[in-house]
Amino acid sequence: MEKIPVTITVRGEQRRDSEVTQMEHTVEGTLEQNGEELTLRYREPEEAGLGETDTALTFRGEEAVLDRQGAVKARMRFIVGQRHRVDYRTPQGELLLEVRTTFLSHNLTQSGGKAMIRYHLTSGGQTVGNHTLKLNVKEREQ
């Protein structure tokens, strides 16, 4: 399985009530293809506030899985129309979340592409926020 060096622009938006928070980071990472499965791997930038955390985002068919390891530990499954429980662990403590995916799309290939995931987060029945994650992936010059 070849690891292709890529540049990833990560854009996130969180909506809660009338409040909107946006962030954008550009990071270097890798893109790996294993059969029908594509995985992006990158280290979260300091300004993301996740400490020393490595992220892997895997797309397979109609599903995406976000796996964070390090200061923050979480595994989030995204399948449109389904709900999944998430143990979200940080140095400050653990949070039990529920993720409901409302939209998932990508056109990623070994040379890059784009992806978008929209999801709703709740904790203890209370809305944490409506989130949109957009990724723009470009192969790095070697």
Side-chain angles (χ1 to χ4, degrees):
M1 178 171 29
E2 182 184 5
K3 291 184 180 186
I4 300 163
V6 292
T7 300
I8 307 164
T9 302
V10 181
R11 291 182 183 92
E13 180 179 282
Q14 177 182 339
R15 294 179 177 270
R16 183 172 181 190
D17 301 324
S18 61
E19 217 174 290
V20 178
T21 306
Q22 295 181 330
M23 66 85 179
E24 181 175 325
H25 308 292
T26 299
V27 296
E28 292 187 351
T30 60
L31 175 64
E32 303 166 27
Q33 184 165 7
N34 186 8
E36 295 297 308
E37 191 173 278
L38 280 165
T39 301
L40 289 168
R41 296 182 191 280
Y42 60 94
R43 170 144 302 175
E44 293 290 344
E46 216 173 286
E47 59 268 22
L50 299 175
E52 294 276 323
T53 300
D54 292 316
T55 295
L57 181 56
T58 301
F59 294 91
R60 97 178 56 85
E62 301 295 313
E63 174 184 17
V65 176
L66 179 83
D67 196 7
R68 289 194 169 126
Q69 295 295 320
V72 172
K73 291 184 172 96
R75 182 174 173 85
M76 301 170 87
R77 288 184 69 204
F78 302 101
I79 301 172
V80 174
Q82 293 188 16
R83 297 174 189 266
H84 297 278
R85 293 172 61 118
V86 178
D87 289 323
Y88 197 87
R89 297 184 179 133
T90 71
Q92 293 76 31
E94 188 175 328
L95 201 59
L96 183 58
L97 301 172
E98 185 176 86
V99 176
R100 180 175 49 86
T101 307
T102 57
F103 182 84
L104 181 120
S105 174
H106 81 87
N107 65 359
L108 293 170
T109 67
Q110 287 188 342
S111 57
K114 295 183 179 187
M116 183 164 73
I117 303 170
R118 286 194 184 119
Y119 58 100
H120 182 74
L121 274 182
T122 56
S123 179
Q126 300 296 311
T127 296
V128 173
N130 291 302
H131 297 256
T132 302
L133 177 65
K134 294 179 183 178
L135 302 148
N136 188 4
V137 181
K138 293 182 181 173
E139 190 171 358
R140 262 187 291 158
E141 300 286 324
Q142 301 249 356

